[in-house]
Amino acid sequence: MPELVVENIHLKYGAVEVLKGASFAVEKGQIAALLGPSGSGKTTLLRTVAGLERAYKGRVSVSGKEVFDGSRNLDLPAEKRGLGFVFQSYALWPNRTVFDNVAYGLRLRKVADAEVRRKVGQVLEVLGLGHLHERYPSQLSGGQQQRVAIARSLAYDPAVLLLDEPLSNLDAKLRDEARAFLKELITREERAAVIVTHDQIEALAIADTIVLLNGGVIAQEGSPEDLYNRPTTLFTADFIGNNVRLAGKVIAAGDGFATLDCDGLQVTGRMGQPVTVGQGGTAICRMDKLGLAVPGERDTVEMHRTTTMFLGEKWEHVYRIGNHSLRVLTDSAVGDATSPIRIPRESVWIF
Amino acid sequence: MRSDLWRNNIVLLTALFILAPVGLILWQSFLTDAFFSARANPTADTYSFVLSDPGFWDALQNTVILSAGMVVIAVPLGSLLAFLMVRTDMPGRRWIEPAIFLPLFMSPMVLAFGYIVSIGPSGFWSTWWQQTFGAPFWNVYSMPMLVLVVALTHVPHVYIYVATALRTVPSDLEEAARVAGGAPLTVAMKVTLPLVWPSIAVSAVLVAFLGFELFGLPYVLGDQDGRLVLATYLYKFNTLLGRPAYQLMAVVVIFIMLVTLPLVMLQRRMLRSAQRYSTIGGKATRSHAVPLGPWKWVALAGVMIWLYAVVLLPLSGVALRSFVTTWGPLVAIRDVLTFDNYHKLADLPLIRRSIVNTLLLAFVGGFASLCVYALIGLASHRSQAKSTRVLDFLVLLPRAMPGIVAGLVVFWIFLFVPFLKPWVASLVAMWVAYTLVWLPFGLRLVSNSFGQVGRELEEAAYVTGAGQARVARDVILPLAKHGLLAAWLLAFLLYAREYSTGIFLMGQGNEVMGTMLVSLWNGGNIDVASSLAVVNTLVIAGGIALALRLGVRLDA
Ligand SMILES: Nc1ncnc2c1ncn2[C@@H]1O[C@H](COP(=O)(O)OP(=O)(O)O)[C@@H](O)[C@H]1O
Ligand SMILES: [Mg+2]
């Protein structure tokens, strides 16, 4: 049985329905990423799981124990759910030292002093904060604050850890390190973790499962490979990866593939859902899979080069045909003004 | 599910605390006699009695004149003072600021005394004037003088609102207008004034409302000619007919609140829209002073004249009077110089007790009230419950209740409730009345400081496993500590100054300085009254100095 089960959560702010039936589950030792654009309800969903917001319908259970059930009017308050929560702002208590911040959960549980010292010391050691016990939060760097916030939520051994954009306040370099560290830590400590993020790269890198949220409903749930390689909705295909979006008319369909005519630019790709000839459709093409082709190759379009920029490692070109423009990366400079551009059908989805 | 039971209970108790007095007044106003009397029967005649009393209409007229005069004089002067202090390069702004707060916290009784002994008949300044220029052209007991005094002493109330608003007006707006060729004065009128207009309007309503609460100044300065305002008219009924006419007093209270309650509601409304208006401007910005040129000396002189009139004039009079045995046109100062008036403070048990009681009530009682406010504040903190929104509205009632009225009703309640009766003339009753009077203000201070605590800091404690009591103890209260301390200090200042609330509650043993001053004035004992007034002012000045040292904002 999964450590955390969230079923069919509905939540309103006033008259606005913010969550419209979100469900997901996380196993022990696994990380689920709640991914979605800003305003899609990720934070709200996480807070609902923690008991900080109240849903009007749905169920939540932690370690096999029901903590929320809208139909039975069961709603354990946050303090009785025994979860760990890392706030986006870290929410460290400014009047307590690092040690006291981390020890708070244990002291609330009436753990003996010696045991508190041992446990907190151990957690802080694991997080590389061993030398900072007596500091106040304001005396720490952003990265250190983030780790104190994680330490605080780990100290009392919650089975489920909820993290709201824990990396978003770190600068880019620190974020890469912290991401790897976090993944390793959660796997080693065998918690079930939910990480909220709006950054798909982060979600792809850190998560065992991605729950993609769109306007309060789950657009798709699955492994990072699933979402990247087998999107089942237009939203998923478009949200994950760096894409070009083309609208047109279906001119051929069959065998799991369809061809779209977009004002003279023809693309073939996998059908994300069944389409028939004559209807309108949208093609999502992964930008990084576009390339220069040799004449006569399959899935190519003859296009005209308008701009070239040297980016250091690579060259970036803008190719045009009709109203469409595509950005194409190459390893070396290109001389020809017109070239066939490859849009490989394995990296195109038609909806 | 989190239990809201305790919240609702506290809200319920608070509602009772507020509604019981109001209910009692209403009930009493429809009886023929005191509500505890066996002869009391329901009637509406009391209303017609009061309405047919010419004295009531006189008092109402005087009150309206005072209130209007305050608005007409104090609002422009207060706004101008705020502009000079916040926006210009007028010299001496640093030390003028604390002086502005002094009239705000000084007892009106002390001020009134001060005017009498300074510029009253045979006052220090009058005598000097007479010897130098001939008969003085003013009469301290006249109506125009009263209007002038109450208006000038309420300039700081306007100042606070307008200065706060002015600090949020970005100065680049003014600078842009100046660069475009506007003279400083034109810019002030065309650019700055419209931006702080809502705050000026709020302060006008506040001052009008305060006009209906006035007691001390009109009592001392108007009473000699029998010129009454509503509050002193009310006070008269305590003794006028041989024994207290509670039913008449209740009717007068109802009439006072019929005016003050709408004003309070209006003010709350305007304050909300004014806040919405001012947040557009965003944060307080570093402001560049408008250069006044040579005019800055004129401005400084104007401010000094005002400060002289509301601080130095009355205070110098009281201070001087406290060191002499008597004063008159033919008295030489070295013949009458004495410390006796201060010795009497210590020697007279009544007076000594009033000083001890005041300090006790201000310090310990202020803290106890703060605890009550904090409890109510915690009950409504981040609560979405309907009951707390009702509370938000209910606190307008005590806000609309002048201190003297609150004291009267608490007195009634202590008379009425059997187990409270033994306490009717005790410090406890006094404390209850003070707590009721300052409930809206105290609650606002406390709620504001709780509101400053980051929501997620509280939530972090909840998810870590803390219940509501622990979150309050471990997160909210420690983080709101500075705000609570400030509220305690303000309570100390207000309680040390308070005089009208205790008037009806004063008995053997619970005298406080404020009420003592009123009864010393009634008894014509000016010697001791002056020294006691000096002590009272020193206590308050000490409190203000401490507040400034601790960085407490006095314009809360
Ligand atoms: N306290 C609130 N009251 C009303 N609406 C809210 C509140 N909090 C969030 N919302 C709305 O709910 C939606 C989801 O918000 P949120 O969960 O914070 O999104 P995300 O974390 O995915 O960016 C947004 O449209 C937001 O405007
Ligand atoms: Mg969010």
Side-chain angles (χ1 to χ4, degrees):
Chain A
M1 170 133 194
E3 207 59 30
L4 173 69
V5 182
V6 177
E7 272 175 50
N8 196 27
I9 295 290
H10 289 255
L11 180 139
K12 277 186 191 165
Y13 281 128
V16 185
E17 187 142 54
V18 175
L19 298 175
K20 305 163 192 156
S23 314
F24 64 94
V26 195
E27 302 277 354
K28 200 169 178 170
Q30 303 262 301
I31 300 177
L34 283 182
L35 177 66
S38 164
S40 57
K42 309 177 296 287
T43 298
T44 309
L45 181 54
L46 200 70
R47 289 171 56 87
T48 310
V49 172
L52 296 172
E53 300 289 341
R54 190 161 183 198
Y56 68 90
K57 193 166 150 194
R59 289 185 336 122
V60 178
S61 66
V62 177
S63 310
K65 186 175 151 239
E66 293 249 294
V67 295
F68 174 75
D69 186 343
S71 64
R72 284 198 293 133
N73 215 13
L74 167 79
D75 182 17
L76 277 191
E79 62 268 26
K80 302 241 169 72
R81 295 194 181 186
L83 302 164
F85 199 108
V86 177
F87 290 84
Q88 186 171 7
S89 64
Y90 307 145
L92 299 176
W93 299 302
N95 55 333
R96 295 210 183 97
T97 60
V98 167
F99 183 90
D100 290 335
N101 262 284
V102 177
Y104 188 65
L106 294 169
R107 290 191 173 137
L108 282 174
R109 287 163 179 78
K110 307 238 166 6
V111 176
D113 251 5
E115 175 64 11
V116 170
R117 266 195 304 278
R118 191 193 64 77
K119 181 81 203 179
V120 173
Q122 184 196 338
V123 172
L124 287 175
E125 208 54 55
V126 168
L127 282 140
L129 297 164
H131 56 299
L132 298 174
H133 285 216
E134 295 313 314
R135 292 273 191 94
Y136 283 90
S138 58
Q139 301 167 322
L140 302 178
S141 72
Q144 288 167 333
Q145 289 183 13
Q146 181 233 20
R147 278 182 284 164
V148 176
I150 295 172
R152 180 175 71 184
S153 66
L154 281 176
Y156 49 94
D157 284 328
V160 175
L161 204 56
L162 308 171
L163 306 99
D164 189 3
E165 312 229 5
L167 307 176
S168 67
N169 287 337
L170 303 179
D171 50 50
K173 188 166 174 295
L174 217 52
R175 195 162 1 176
D176 292 346
E177 277 171 31
R179 187 199 295 159
F181 170 80
L182 202 58
K183 174 150 189 162
E184 197 218 317
L185 181 77
I186 290 165
T187 318
R188 176 154 39 98
E189 301 266 322
E190 295 229 301
R191 311 296 162 94
V194 182
I195 291 191
V196 162
T197 174
H198 64 269
D199 178 354
Q200 43 143 331
I201 311 275
E202 191 171 298
L204 292 170
I206 205 169
D208 299 296
T209 1
I210 294 181
V211 181
L212 184 62
L213 218 56
N214 179 27
V217 288
I218 286 173
Q220 190 171 347
E221 182 184 349
S223 67
E225 292 84 4
D226 268 349
L227 265 75
Y228 192 82
N229 293 326
R230 288 173 288 282
T232 56
T233 62
L234 173 61
F235 177 81
T236 311
D238 198 14
F239 190 81
I240 305 275
N242 212 348
N243 303 306
V244 182
R245 189 182 172 130
L246 300 165
K249 208 170 211 137
V250 180
I251 51 171
D255 248 4
F257 287 91
T259 304
L260 223 54
D261 177 52
C262 318
D263 277 341
L265 175 75
Q266 289 189 4
V267 281
T268 305
R270 301 169 193 274
M271 279 193 278
Q273 65 201 34
V275 290
T276 52
V277 174
Q279 79 181 78
T282 306
I284 303 294
C285 320
R286 299 270 184 255
M287 230 177 66
D288 48 341
K289 296 288 162 58
L290 302 178
L292 293 191
V294 289
E297 217 180 300
R298 195 172 73 148
D299 297 338
T300 57
V301 185
E302 190 79 7
M303 293 179 90
H304 176 71
R305 184 161 58 90
T306 56
T307 314
T308 291
M309 284 171 282
F310 178 53
L311 303 180
E313 284 176 16
K314 295 208 177 243
W315 297 78
E316 184 184 307
H317 317 274
V318 176
Y319 280 89
R320 281 190 164 277
I321 178 173
N323 285 331
H324 304 287
S325 66
L326 298 178
R327 286 188 300 149
V328 178
L329 295 173
T330 60
D331 291 332
S332 51
V334 175
D336 304 335
T338 311
S339 315
I341 302 299
R342 187 191 315 115
I343 311 176
R345 60 181 66 200
E346 292 75 23
S347 304
V348 176
W349 285 270
I350 310 282
F351 287 90
Chain B
M1 200 182 341
R2 184 165 287 144
S3 159
D4 273 340
L5 198 65
W6 71 276
R7 287 176 188 267
N8 291 335
N9 282 342
I10 287 179
V11 171
L12 216 64
L13 277 176
T14 314
L16 188 71
F17 184 44
I18 293 171
L19 288 175
V22 179
L24 194 56
I25 295 171
L26 259 178
W27 182 39
Q28 174 67 78
S29 74
F30 286 105
L31 292 179
T32 52
D33 204 334
F35 61 91
F36 46 79
S37 154
R39 284 175 300 154
N41 293 309
T43 179
D45 289 350
T46 334
Y47 282 86
S48 40
F49 178 89
V50 169
L51 286 176
S52 64
D53 178 16
F56 170 74
W57 293 103
D58 280 348
L60 180 63
Q61 191 190 2
N62 286 333
T63 309
V64 171
I65 292 174
L66 278 186
S67 183
M70 281 163 72
V71 172
V72 170
I73 299 173
V75 172
L77 285 185
S79 310
L80 183 65
L81 179 64
F83 180 76
L84 291 174
M85 291 289 294
V86 178
R87 281 312 210 204
T88 70
D89 63 346
M90 184 180 70
R93 280 164 299 155
R94 285 183 70 83
W95 57 263
I96 292 176
E97 171 110 58
I100 292 176
F101 291 117
L102 207 56
L104 207 56
F105 290 103
M106 237 157 59
S107 167
M109 281 309 286
V110 173
L111 285 172
F113 274 165
Y115 286 114
I116 299 281
V117 296
S118 285
I119 55 170
S122 74
F124 295 103
W125 292 94
S126 327
T127 330
W128 172 80
W129 184 279
Q130 180 135 29
Q131 283 158 1
T132 324
F133 305 107
F137 58 88
W138 66 85
N139 172 10
V140 75
Y141 293 112
S142 67
M143 186 68 178
M145 196 63 169
L146 181 58
V147 173
L148 195 64
V149 166
V150 294
L152 289 182
T153 49
H154 283 80
V155 164
H157 295 82
V158 178
Y159 166 82
I160 283 179
Y161 277 88
V162 181
T164 308
L166 274 175
R167 288 198 186 96
T168 65
V169 176
S171 64
D172 42 4
L173 291 184
E174 285 174 1
E175 279 160 6
R178 294 255 307 289
V179 169
L185 190 68
T186 324
V187 172
M189 298 302 285
K190 291 256 161 72
V191 179
T192 317
L193 189 65
L195 285 172
V196 294
W197 211 206
S199 298
I200 294 178
V202 170
S203 72
V205 175
L206 171 80
V207 166
F209 156 80
L210 290 174
F212 274 80
E213 283 203 339
L214 283 179
F215 179 77
L217 286 166
Y219 180 62
V220 173
L221 296 178
D223 203 39
Q224 224 192 23
D225 297 353
R227 192 183 309 108
L228 297 178
V229 294
L230 284 176
T232 50
Y233 176 76
L234 168 76
Y235 184 47
K236 276 277 136 121
F237 278 122
N238 201 32
T239 48
L240 197 65
L241 309 173
R243 65 193 183 90
Y246 289 159
Q247 69 281 13
L248 294 176
M249 291 157 98
V251 171
V252 178
V253 170
I254 298 281
F255 283 131
I256 293 178
M257 288 185 69
L258 278 182
V259 178
T260 52
L261 194 59
L263 284 177
V264 166
M265 285 159 71
L266 179 66
Q267 199 208 353
R268 182 174 100 131
R269 233 193 149 144
M270 289 165 68
L271 203 56
R272 289 199 168 166
S273 56
Q275 271 158 359
R276 223 174 297 136
Y277 198 57
S278 72
T279 45
I280 298 168
K283 283 202 201 102
T285 48
R286 200 168 73 87
S287 78
H288 301 267
V290 176
L292 290 179
W295 285 100
K296 67 184 172 193
W297 301 108
V298 178
L300 180 64
V303 174
M304 295 312 297
I305 290 175
W306 170 73
L307 273 180
Y308 169 77
V310 297
V311 179
L312 207 62
L313 184 69
L315 273 189
S316 63
V318 177
L320 211 56
R321 188 63 189 79
S322 72
F323 286 108
V324 297
T325 50
T326 178
W327 190 252
L330 301 169
V331 182
I333 196 151
R334 64 183 168 296
D335 299 336
V336 290
L337 211 56
T338 178
F339 282 104
D340 262 8
N341 298 334
Y342 286 93
H343 289 147
K344 279 185 204 153
L345 292 184
D347 292 344
L348 296 174
L350 211 63
I351 308 283
R352 201 175 55 216
R353 205 156 58 209
S354 80
I355 297 175
V356 174
N357 280 347
T358 304
L359 293 177
L360 203 68
L361 199 57
F363 196 72
V364 182
F367 184 76
S369 299
L370 180 69
C371 293
V372 172
Y373 303 152
L375 200 62
I376 302 172
L378 282 175
S380 44
H381 182 57
R382 301 204 199 288
S383 162
Q384 301 293 321
K386 261 198 206 77
S387 58
T388 49
R389 252 170 292 156
V390 172
L391 186 68
D392 196 36
F393 199 73
L394 273 183
V395 293
L396 292 179
L397 282 170
R399 180 97 170 66
M401 220 186 265
I404 189 170
V405 171
L408 177 64
V409 206
V410 169
F411 175 63
W412 286 348
I413 286 182
F414 272 72
L415 275 184
F416 181 63
V417 182
F419 69 89
L420 289 179
K421 197 156 180 185
W423 300 92
V424 70
S426 69
L427 273 181
V428 176
M430 210 71 117
W431 175 77
V432 171
Y434 282 30
T435 306
L436 177 62
V437 169
W438 296 107
L439 172 74
F441 181 67
L443 198 55
R444 182 163 64 82
L445 289 185
V446 167
S447 307
N448 281 352
S449 55
F450 288 166
Q452 309 266 307
V453 178
R455 178 190 203 104
E456 297 199 333
L457 294 180
E458 292 168 33
E459 289 173 343
Y462 282 121
V463 289
T464 310
Q468 291 185 81
R470 286 304 297 249
V471 172
R473 205 188 84 186
D474 296 339
V475 180
I476 303 176
L477 291 176
L479 291 177
K481 203 168 56 187
H482 190 78
L484 295 177
L485 185 74
W488 185 16
L489 221 105
L490 283 168
F492 175 87
L493 288 174
L494 295 168
Y495 284 19
R497 179 190 72 155
E498 189 59 72
Y499 65 102
S500 60
T501 304
I503 284 182
F504 290 107
L505 289 162
M506 187 165 68
Q508 270 293 319
N510 71 347
E511 302 84 357
V512 292
M513 281 195 244
T515 53
M516 208 61 226
L517 283 172
V518 177
S519 70
L520 286 172
W521 170 256
N522 286 344
N525 195 345
I526 303 294
D527 296 347
V528 182
S530 303
S531 53
L532 189 60
V534 170
V535 171
N536 188 249
T537 307
L538 285 178
V539 168
I540 285 161
I544 293 180
L546 183 64
L548 292 175
R549 258 208 91 115
L550 295 178
V552 170
R553 294 205 61 85
L554 288 171
D555 52 358

